Amino acid sequence: MPRYCYVNGQFAPHNEGAVHIEDRGYQFADGVYEVVTVADGRLVDEGPHLDRLERSLNELRMKMPMARKVLALKMRELMRLNGLRDGLVYMQVTRGVAPRNHAFPADSVPSSLVMTTKKMNFATMKKFTDGVSVISTPDMRWARCDIKTTSLLPNCLGKQAAVEAGAYEGWMITEDGMVTEGTSSNAWIINKDGALVTRPPGNEILNGITRQTILALAAEEGIPFEERAFSLEEAYEAREAFVSSATSFVTPVVKIDDKAIGNGKPGSLSERLLGYYKEYAAGLRTRAA
Ligand code: PDD
C-alpha cells in the first residue's frame, strides 16, 4: 500500500513530500509539532493535542494553519489514505518560507503544515512488559521547554547518548541535580509511600498530554500523587519509575544509570497505570478534563 504525507495543502506519496530550502523550519527550527497516537483507528486525546499545538503557536506568535475542524478532517484523510489503525500522526507547523533573516517575515507569509503517519503495533511492544533502562544526561536546553518546538538538538544529543549506552531514554538533569524530563518523554517515580511523583508543569518541561491523562486516571483510581521536582538521587532510591509519552504510554523503567529500580523488574503500580492508559487509549474509559 503506498504511503502518503500531507504537505501544504496536498497529499503526496511519502517519499516525494518536500518543503522549500528556505522554510524557516529547515533554517531556524522555527516551528512546532505534535505527535498524536492512533489506537484502533481513534486519535487519542486529539482535543488536548490540538489545544497544545495552538498554545505552542501562540507562544511563538504564529497562528493555527487552518481551522481546527479542517485540520481534524485532514488528519483523518491521511489516516484513511495510509490505512492507519495503530500508530501515530505527526504534524509540524513552521513560520513558512521567506528569504533568510532571523527576524520574522511579514504576517502575510503563510505557515507551512506537514503531516505524516507511522504504523506501530502497541500490542506487542516488549518495552511495556520488560521495562527499559534510562541514563542521566545534562539538561542543556533553553528557557521555554514548555513549547513543543522542533528545535530539539539538545534532546537529540541526550537521546543519542542513551542509545550509545544501550538505554531507551535519557533523563535530563539540571545543574543542581534535579530531573526535568526525558529527551522525548516525561519522567516519573513512585516513592516509598507509593505516591506518584512527577515534576509540575512550568517552563522547564513539556506538559505531556499523556502525563495529564495519567494524573487524571490516578486521581480517579485514588492513587496519591505529588507534582514536585525530584532529584536523580531520589530516583535511584525510588520504588518504581516510568516514562510517559504519546508513543511510550506508561513504559516501566527498571534501571537508571547503573542502579536497578526496585527489584529490577517493572513495578506493579506502573503496570496498573499502563493497563488504565491502554483502556483509555482504546476508548474503554474516559478521563476528567
Ligand atoms: N515527545 N517531554 C518531551 C521533551 C517530549 O518530546 C514529549 C513527547 C513529552 C511527552 O509528551 P506527550 O505525552 O504529549 O507525548 C515530554 C513526542 C512523543 C516526540 O517528540 O516524538
Side-chain angles (χ1 to χ4, degrees):
M1 184 177 187
R3 187 177 171 205
Y4 290 90
C5 61
Y6 176 92
V7 184
N8 292 327
Q10 311 283 340
F11 292 99
H14 186 88
N15 53 12
E16 289 171 24
V19 293
H20 195 273
I21 53 168
E22 287 195 310
D23 189 285
R24 289 180 63 93
Y26 181 61
Q27 291 192 322
F28 296 116
D30 187 2
V32 305
Y33 74 106
E34 280 296 328
V35 175
V36 189
T37 298
V38 177
D40 209 13
R42 300 176 60 256
L43 285 153
V44 180
D45 277 329
E46 178 183 5
H49 278 286
L50 293 183
D51 286 346
R52 189 174 64 187
L53 178 70
E54 193 163 359
R55 176 185 184 279
S56 295
L57 288 167
N58 278 338
E59 293 301 307
L60 298 176
R61 290 161 53 196
M62 284 189 251
K63 290 192 191 68
M64 284 289 265
M66 58 183 66
R68 202 187 262 238
K69 275 195 179 143
V70 183
L71 182 55
L73 286 175
K74 302 283 182 210
M75 290 165 79
R76 282 169 179 76
E77 179 65 5
L78 187 61
M79 286 162 57
R80 193 188 61 75
L81 283 170
N82 288 339
L84 186 77
R85 295 289 305 168
D86 292 283
L88 62 85
V89 175
Y90 175 83
M91 65 178 91
Q92 174 177 315
V93 182
T94 73
R95 208 182 300 273
V97 177
R100 186 174 182 278
N101 178 353
H102 289 63
F104 297 170
D107 282 347
S108 54
V109 171
S111 57
S112 301
L113 169 63
V114 168
M115 288 197 281
T116 56
T117 67
K118 182 178 168 190
K119 288 187 177 171
M120 298 172 88
N121 192 345
F122 297 114
T124 59
M125 287 184 169
K126 273 173 75 74
K127 65 185 180 186
F128 294 146
T129 43
D130 297 2
V132 297
S133 52
V134 307
I135 60 154
S136 55
T137 183
D139 193 336
M140 299 186 290
R141 299 174 302 161
W142 70 324
R144 290 303 306 274
C145 300
D146 58 311
I147 302 173
K148 196 164 173 65
T149 155
T150 56
S151 177
L152 290 170
L153 197 46
N155 306 59
C156 294
L157 292 173
K159 183 75 92 181
Q160 182 62 21
V163 168
E164 286 174 10
Y168 174 80
E169 180 60 300
W171 277 10
M172 295 181 285
I173 314 296
T174 60
E175 276 175 8
D176 56 352
M178 307 305 275
V179 177
T180 51
E181 61 182 331
T183 67
S184 63
S185 60
N186 288 115
W188 303 70
I189 57 170
I190 294 163
N191 71 10
K192 297 262 174 303
D193 306 321
L196 288 170
V197 182
T198 194
R199 201 175 170 104
N203 290 357
E204 309 81 18
I205 66 161
L206 182 76
N207 189 2
I209 304 300
T210 320
R211 176 190 177 284
Q212 294 169 50
T213 296
I214 293 166
L215 286 176
L217 294 173
E220 271 166 42
E221 294 294 331
I223 299 165
F225 61 82
E226 296 170 18
E227 287 185 86
R228 63 165 173 82
F230 62 88
S231 67
L232 182 59
E233 288 305 316
E234 186 179 1
Y236 287 154
E237 302 299 321
R239 189 189 280 186
E240 300 181 27
F242 64 88
V243 298
S244 70
S245 77
T247 47
S248 296
F249 295 11
V250 174
T251 294
V253 169
V254 295
K255 201 167 103 178
I256 303 174
D257 294 328
D258 56 355
K259 309 268 193 307
I261 302 305
N263 62 3
K265 300 224 160 60
S268 57
L269 183 52
S270 308
E271 285 179 333
R272 255 176 77 198
L273 286 166
L274 173 61
Y276 299 143
Y277 188 81
K278 281 186 167 170
E279 285 171 17
Y280 176 78
L284 301 175
R285 63 184 292 165
T286 53
R287 67 146 159 120

